[in-house]
Amino acid sequence: MTAPTLGTYWRTVRHLRGSQLVALAQRRLLRRETLRWWKSVPVGLRRVLPPAAFPEWQSPSALQAIETREFRFLNVTRPTSGYIPWSSREFSRLWLYHLNYCDFLNVDLRAFERRFHLRRALDVALDWCTQNTTGMEVGWEPYPLSLRIVNWLKFLMRNAERAEALGEGKTLQALLANLRIQALALEARLETHLLGNHLMKNIKALMFAGALLGAPESSRWWAKGQTLLKRELTEQVLADGGHFERSPMYHAEVLEDLLDIRTLASACGRVVKCAPQLSPCIAQMAAFLGRILHADGEIPLLNDSALAIARRPQELLMLAGNSIQIPTIASSEVSILKETGYAVIRNPRSGSCLILDCGPLGPDYQPGHGHCDVLSYELSLHGQRVVVDTGVSTYERSERHYERSTAAHNTLRIDGEEQAETWASFRVGRRPKVGQVEGGELTGFRFVRGVHYAYQHRGVIHFRMIILTPRNSWVVIDSLRGTGKHLVESFIHFHPAVRVENLSNPASRVAGTAEKLWAIEFTEKRYVLTALGPGRLMARESWYAPEFGMRQHRTTLHWSWEGDLPVRLIYTLTPIGEMPPIISHCLGQELVEIDRISLRLN
């Protein structure tokens, strides 16, 4: 990873909005030790009877964390100790964020047998207040601040009455007074320099504080939250229901935020001015989420997505009112989500689906969660993930550089150049240019296709078409147009549960242009991958990161070729026992024939 140049900074900054630049300047100039500006005043908690039916955090894990103070986030455990490391340098910043979210307080402790846990939970919250007094600690950053405000208010809404009965009135007053200071700090530090899902978390926290805290500023917080929510719904929810940052994980996070806001307003008898807009957005986002799920019911790991962070999709769909079962979320037809840039082919009979990403990295002014994954895809067969994205194990710069790179995704790299100029942890300079994703069905063949124009300065345009044949073979066709000599590399990353074996003999590998055959085995299923085209196909080891803090060994096939364009690289995945598709690609650059059916590549 090379150091950024002045050109890199310019190609990054020029996409930012003026309001972001102003907010960045204010953020640099305005110091955070502003807590002394706000005098402490008595704060009440508005009673909601019955308490709003917010889903709890993982109850068994929460109870254990409260009881033992052993915290586990991102697959890293902090052993039991009397000291809670709210800002300790022993842990990554993201781990500290999760500790400061206080998700584990989002539980119902009203039962008599949980009175010990209730007192322990109050002690944890009070410990945060006593250890975070300057406004400079990690927990005062706007993002963890927003999540903690919401979690504490959910906790108090459920448990305050029981805590008072246990004689904890003074502790409750201290927490409520501190919550007002937290809400004031958040209001002064809204993440208008980042926008996106961060600002949505800020909005949600303002609305929770406005609805549930009896503070002098409550009406202002609610009004400001409503105004921002109306604006951001129009901005962040695309016409196809996708979230505009184009990350399935953050899509699920924002969907839960909107569900919580709707539940809050209903429980408190509040009217949300943008209610006619809010409910349709929730329905659209839920439908989008249902369309992109793998056969295992979980999200694809595209664009900074990881498992075990957002609430499980099935639960979100039920909360949204879509109590449908995962296998029937989509039919076998092709789904084209053109505004987000995703396309899905699903075959419920075989538990198989493919998700293609042909969209931009994200909004131009906030591509921080985007990866070099144009025309990459994930594929499940018979309910098992087979071809997978690398995922994301960390937001730390060193390893993150690879996980955002072109080589970490199931797509092509030209002349060793990244599709996008990613740098630092969340920065992007030069961005890829993509065409509109398309798809359909023709005489039993289901297909999706897209185009990547980012290599025009090298005289190269990449067209990709992926086809599901009537006999359940998958065909991936990469067509490269342009002039001159170029190095072309294709990456195919397999799930760790998939075994990959070379079936070609050494002579054919040396020849370079012969068929390249590989056995693909998983859960007693066996497919043959056949590569058609010039070059060399080799297996190598890489890592798979389905969750933060987790890396698993897996096999990657690396297909490389160097020569003059145009060229076409094709590979197929065919079940053992089925005839492989007969492919003729001698019909010119725009057509391919598969089992005597002609298909247009672009």
Side-chain angles (χ1 to χ4, degrees), residues 8-28:
T8 304
Y9 281 105
W10 165 244
R11 289 187 292 274
T12 302
V13 172
R14 73 185 186 90
H15 294 282
L16 298 181
R17 292 178 168 178
S19 60
Q20 286 177 285
L21 294 172
V22 171
L24 280 168
Q26 291 174 337
R27 187 177 172 84
R28 297 288 189 271

Side-chain angles (χ1 to χ4, degrees), residues 5 13 73 115 204 247 310 329 416 431-432 476 501 570:
T5 64
V13 172
F73 308 111
R115 62 192 184 281
K204 176 179 171 181
S247 164
I329 281 173
R431 292 100 195 273
V476 179
E501 179 186 355
I570 302 174

Side-chain angles (χ1 to χ4, degrees), residues 381-382 384 386 497-499 520-525 527:
L381 299 172
H382 307 282
Q384 167 67 51
V386 175
V498 176
R499 299 176 300 279
I520 310 299
E521 299 181 21
F522 55 94
T523 59
E524 299 181 354
K525 302 292 182 182
Y527 277 65

